[in-house]
């Protein structure tokens, strides 16, 4: 069966510090991968998605970047965090070539920028 | 503009009671609608998914309905349990023939009290 992992589970970082969140998927090959951010009282906002190694599409301009160094690894980064980067970050995957609305979510990372 | 509106924002009910959550959408063209349950601090988990031709879909004590003409959906929870306390998110996928971007509602936060 497929599983998706995210770490860390929680993170408190000062403004201006760098960020690296990691997501890995097991049990499937060449998945589509997604990063979402969930702000309090708001719907999930798609940040990035990837259909393959090194292939990243950005949905909204922001202070964040994403990379996919390996088939089942997706990384969300920032060089300098802003207060507005605080939120709950979710990674998701879907089957390559399958319907992209069939997405499975990871457990999330709670980021607090102080 | 593709949007998903959910009501109420929050709801408190007593254990054993029923409740109904609402979702209105303006997504067009429409592909499918899904209800997710998200426990606090966790990733969303799919409850039901319906295409435009389906009027109702059940998953245990959860029953979702869809009226594609009025663009409304509801999620009915029967005989609520304490474990039903969570956020319930309505997600609509537009039909695009390729990548199906998901449109998320802000969710309804349900609290079930003993």
């Amino acid at each position: 069966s497929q599983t998706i992992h995210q770490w860390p589970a929680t993170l408190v970082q000062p403004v201006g510090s760098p960020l690296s969140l990691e997501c890995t998927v097991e049990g499937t090959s060449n998945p589509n991968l997604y990063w979402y951010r969930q702000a309090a009282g708001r719907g999930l906002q798609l940040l990035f998605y990837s259909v393959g190694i090194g292939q990243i599409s950005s949905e909204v301009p922001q202070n964040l970047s994403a990379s996919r160094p390996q088939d089942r690894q997706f990384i969300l980064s920032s060089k300098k965090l802003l207060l507005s980067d605080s939120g709950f970050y979710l990674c998701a995957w879907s089957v390559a070539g399958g319907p992209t609305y069939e997405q499975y979510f990871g457990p999330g990372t709670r980021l607090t920028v102080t | 503009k593709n949007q998903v509106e959910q009501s109420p924002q929050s709801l408190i009910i007593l254990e054993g009671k029923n409740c109904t959550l609402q979702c209105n959408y303006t997504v067009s063209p429409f592909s499918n609608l899904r209800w997710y349950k998200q426990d606090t601090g966790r990733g969303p988990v799919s409850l039901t998914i319906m295409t435009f031709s389906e009027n109702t879909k059940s998953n245990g004590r959860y029953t979702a309905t869809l009226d594609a003409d009025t663009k409304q959906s509801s999620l009915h929870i029967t005989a609520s349990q304490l474990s039903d306390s969570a956020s319930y998110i309505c997600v609509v996928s537009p039909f695009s023939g390729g990548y199906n971007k998901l449109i998320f509602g802000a969710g309804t936060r349900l609290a079930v009290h003993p």
Side-chain angles (χ1 to χ4, degrees), chain A residues 18-82:
Chain A
L19 172 73
S20 181
L21 303 181
E22 188 166 343
C23 169
T24 59
V25 181
E26 297 177 355
T28 187
S29 296
N30 195 32
N32 297 323
L33 296 172
Y34 311 84
W35 276 113
Y36 289 89
R37 177 167 58 202
Q38 186 176 35
R42 306 285 296 275
L44 271 71
Q45 179 186 38
L46 179 65
L47 302 176
F48 302 94
Y49 71 93
S50 170
V51 298
I53 295 175
Q55 300 179 62
I56 309 295
S57 296
S58 174
E59 283 293 300
V60 293
Q62 57 213 321
N63 185 43
L64 303 168
S65 62
S67 62
R68 185 170 177 175
Q70 299 181 45
D71 181 43
R72 291 169 289 176
Q73 183 185 32
F74 206 21
I75 297 173
L76 183 69
S77 303
S78 173
K79 292 182 179 178
K80 289 185 178 181
L81 283 169
L82 306 172

Side-chain angles (χ1 to χ4, degrees), chain B residues 2-80:
Chain B
N2 289 332
Q3 281 187 315
V4 176
E5 302 281 347
Q6 291 187 245
S7 62
Q9 282 187 318
S10 61
L11 182 63
I12 300 174
I13 62 174
L14 294 177
E15 186 178 12
K17 298 296 185 182
N18 304 334
C19 67
T20 300
L21 314 180
Q22 300 291 344
C23 172
N24 297 338
Y25 61 93
T26 58
V27 178
S28 182
F30 170 81
S31 175
N32 59 78
L33 184 147
R34 187 189 293 260
W35 283 93
Y36 281 91
K37 177 185 179 186
Q38 184 177 21
D39 292 319
T40 300
R42 306 296 298 272
V45 175
S46 179
L47 292 175
T48 64
I49 180 170
M50 291 180 289
T51 64
F52 68 91
S53 61
E54 296 177 287
N55 300 119
T56 185
K57 183 71 70 75
S58 290
N59 178 359
R61 295 180 297 102
Y62 301 100
T63 299
T65 64
L66 174 65
D67 186 332
D69 292 330
T70 62
K71 298 186 177 180
Q72 295 180 324
S73 176
S74 65
L75 180 69
H76 186 73
I77 304 175
T78 304
S80 61

